[in-house]
Amino acid sequence: MLAAEFGNGQVLWSLLWFTLFFIWVYLFIIVVMDVFRSPDLGGVAKFLWVLFVLVAPYIGIFAYLIIRGHKMHEHAVADAKAADAAAQAYIRQAASGAGTGVAGELERLADLRSNGVITDAEFEARKAKLLQD
């Protein structure tokens, strides 16, 4: 009975409203997250923005996007740079991790001795110091 009354136009209209609702939910989450990660906003300003977005949802979100949209972009870029720097540091640490510690230092000292940078006596002294620590 309900399917007979619910035509194609009503299905498309319902899908449109459903999609717009989830776009609004997504924007709400993004705006609230940006409000709380903004170091340039104080506690009172954060409270007022969240209150404004909750009391007047559509106007609050659009006002935030217009007024602080450029800050949202700056925060996203800063977060991406921080994540990239952390990943690069982890990669460097993991790549150099194979030659660290006492064994890595002994290997480095052996290379220095074989290349003639340090003498056999210096090698033995440094080796004894490493093994003593």
Side-chain angles (χ1 to χ4, degrees), residues 17-124:
W17 282 109
F18 188 72
T19 303
L20 289 175
F21 173 73
F22 276 102
I23 290 172
W24 179 83
V25 169
Y26 171 76
L27 286 173
F28 177 80
I29 291 169
I30 295 297
V31 165
V32 170
M33 284 176 48
D34 189 67
V35 165
F36 283 112
R37 74 175 175 187
S38 294
D40 56 332
L41 287 176
V44 174
K46 289 179 183 184
F47 170 75
L48 291 175
W49 270 114
V50 171
L51 184 67
F52 185 41
V53 169
L54 286 174
V55 171
Y58 294 105
I59 295 172
I61 287 176
F62 291 136
Y64 190 84
L65 291 175
I66 291 168
I67 295 170
R68 295 191 47 89
H70 64 286
K71 287 289 188 181
M72 288 179 73
H73 174 70
E74 291 172 9
H75 295 151
V77 168
D79 288 347
K81 284 182 181 178
D84 186 50
Q88 292 296 327
Y90 173 75
I91 290 169
R92 277 191 219 97
Q93 184 265 336
S96 67
T100 60
V102 176
E105 283 296 315
L106 286 174
E107 184 179 332
R108 188 180 66 80
L109 286 175
D111 286 340
L112 290 174
R113 182 182 62 176
S114 66
N115 291 333
V117 177
I118 60 173
T119 64
D120 288 336
E122 289 175 317
F123 172 77
E124 292 300 328

